[in-house]
Amino acid sequence: MTLNIGVIGTGAIGREHIRRLSHTLLGSRVVAVTDINAEQAARVVQELGIAAEVYPDGHALIAAADVQAVLVASWGPTHEEYVLAAIAAGKPVFCEKPLATTAEGCRRIVEAEQAHGKRLVQVGFMRPYDVGYRQLKAVVDADRIGAPLMIHAAHRNPTVSEHYSTDMAITDTLIHEINVLAWLLDDHYVSAQVVFPRKAPAAREHLRDPQVVLLETAKGVRIDVEVFVNCQYGYDIQCEIVGERGIARLPEPTSVQLRSEARLSNEILMDWKDRFIAAYDVELQAFIDDLAAGQLTGPSSWDGYIAAVTADACIKAQDSGAIEPVTLPSRPAFYD
């Protein structure tokens, strides 16, 4: 059976999702698209060669009789509105992060989904679908290094746009570590602190970069994440778990090792899309397959809520310099 999907948002990530749903993955087709820029939506449909209707807005698309599931890839502040509309229509929805721009918005989605009585929402956290992170989790789950004690991680970008701000290092960048490290440890956070080293010369005047985020989990694991978005040399994701009996490191992306010009070298990626393109394929195929099986298993709206609450604490810590609590209610049995 083929799943008919409607896509809200045809920007960079929306276009890529439309392409993979239409030409790469199995069991799906895009039958509807919409964008605040209707001409762009029509152009994407034509350029990708798909038979999809262009709708005037997201609500019309969600209401369309032939749309069985919704993918939200629009501007972040619209996510909550469209996810809630999809839940109200009883249609599964894959929402790119953020699930909502506030923790309160995420909470409203959690409550609406529970009231519906069945999981309908998956959040676009792709790291748990990356082969390297899956290998790392297999090591932890098999107790090969003992209980984790510490994690040292880094999220480095060669550069960012002039519109990138200090708080976006949390909401747009660290948010992936917030999600994937909790998943790796099967744990949640209880406190956050942010410290700022000497500012990098490449960082624009309004941006404090780099920064180091210090997190503590309920099980007592201590985590430090370096966020450095003007590192210049490449897109570099690092993760090292220190356990009671050993250390496990996230594998480096596969690349050809060169012996030339009197040096031994490996290429470093410059674009995040190249680093995680396979993970995007795997996560959306899993969404399609889960719906065929009748039960979503990917990152939930509760995971989106946890990430939002933790990010809020981190942003508060950016300003205060203090250790800020991460206060979460008990996980609902609905999401077990």
Side-chain angles (χ1 to χ4, degrees):
M1 187 177 102
T2 301
L3 181 70
N4 290 342
I5 299 179
V7 178
I8 301 173
T10 60
I13 189 65
R15 179 191 171 95
E16 272 297 292
H17 282 328
I18 293 169
R19 178 196 59 76
R20 60 174 48 91
L21 288 168
S22 303
H23 302 302
T24 302
L25 308 182
L26 300 175
S28 71
R29 64 185 166 211
V30 176
V31 299
V33 302
T34 188
D35 193 276
I36 192 170
N37 183 337
E39 291 182 0
Q40 174 178 283
R43 186 167 57 251
V44 168
V45 167
Q46 181 179 28
E47 290 175 353
L48 293 178
I50 61 174
E53 184 170 350
V54 178
Y55 281 82
D57 57 59
H59 291 284
L61 179 146
I62 291 167
D66 62 338
V67 171
Q68 298 170 305
V70 179
L71 190 152
V72 178
S74 50
W75 186 44
T78 67
H79 288 190
E80 179 186 352
E81 174 185 350
Y82 291 138
V83 172
L84 287 173
I87 293 171
K91 296 185 178 183
V93 55
F94 181 100
C95 182
E96 274 300 336
K97 59 90 179 168
L99 177 61
T101 54
T102 65
E104 292 78 12
C106 292
R107 186 68 179 178
R108 284 190 287 270
I109 291 171
V110 165
E111 291 170 350
E113 188 177 35
Q114 290 183 86
H116 175 78
K118 182 180 179 180
R119 267 201 64 186
L120 290 177
V121 181
Q122 179 166 327
V123 184
F125 290 124
M126 97 297 276
R127 297 273 186 98
Y129 295 96
D130 174 71
V131 63
Y133 278 106
R134 290 195 169 211
Q135 291 172 340
L136 195 57
K137 184 162 178 61
V139 168
V140 173
D141 289 350
D143 196 34
R144 293 181 59 187
I145 61 171
L149 305 174
M150 295 176 285
I151 292 181
H152 309 299
H155 190 143
R156 305 183 184 118
N157 293 63
T159 188
V160 289
S161 75
E162 61 181 340
H163 304 295
Y164 190 98
S165 56
T166 300
D167 62 316
M168 289 173 67
I170 304 298
T171 57
D172 285 38
T173 302
L174 180 77
I175 199 73
H176 289 290
E177 274 74 24
I178 289 174
N179 170 256
V180 78
L181 298 183
W183 171 77
L184 280 172
L185 297 172
D186 190 22
D187 203 351
H188 64 274
Y189 307 106
V190 296
S191 73
Q193 184 180 13
V194 180
V195 296
F196 292 94
R198 182 170 63 89
K199 183 174 177 175
R204 292 179 173 85
E205 184 178 352
H206 68 276
L207 178 63
R208 302 180 71 181
D209 182 56
Q211 54 189 278
V212 179
V213 182
L214 307 172
L215 298 165
E216 181 184 7
T217 76
K219 295 177 183 176
V221 180
R222 293 286 185 167
I223 299 169
D224 59 86
V225 185
E226 170 204 321
V227 181
F228 188 8
V229 297
N230 289 279
C231 76
Q232 304 295 294
Y233 73 85
Y235 181 73
D236 191 8
I237 303 299
Q238 299 290 325
C239 183
E240 178 182 272
I241 303 177
V242 180
E244 296 169 320
R245 302 190 307 273
I247 294 173
R249 289 184 61 88
L250 180 70
E252 294 285 347
T254 301
S255 66
V256 174
Q257 188 179 78
L258 295 180
R259 293 172 182 267
S260 67
E261 298 177 348
R263 60 172 58 89
L264 182 66
S265 63
N266 288 81
E267 183 181 13
I268 295 175
L269 297 172
M270 293 295 288
D271 192 329
W272 61 269
K273 293 187 293 294
D274 294 332
R275 173 64 178 83
F276 288 111
I277 188 169
Y280 281 109
D281 290 347
V282 175
E283 74 166 343
L284 271 182
Q285 187 65 66
F287 177 72
I288 295 164
D289 294 346
D290 281 353
L291 291 181
Q295 181 63 50
L296 289 178
T297 61
S300 67
S301 54
W302 181 255
D303 295 315
Y305 174 64
I306 289 174
V309 172
T310 306
D312 283 352
C314 291
I315 291 172
K316 186 176 181 180
Q318 283 181 328
D319 294 330
S320 71
I323 298 173
E324 299 291 349
V326 178
T327 305
L328 287 164
S330 298
R331 181 186 183 92
F334 183 86
Y335 293 103
D336 290 341

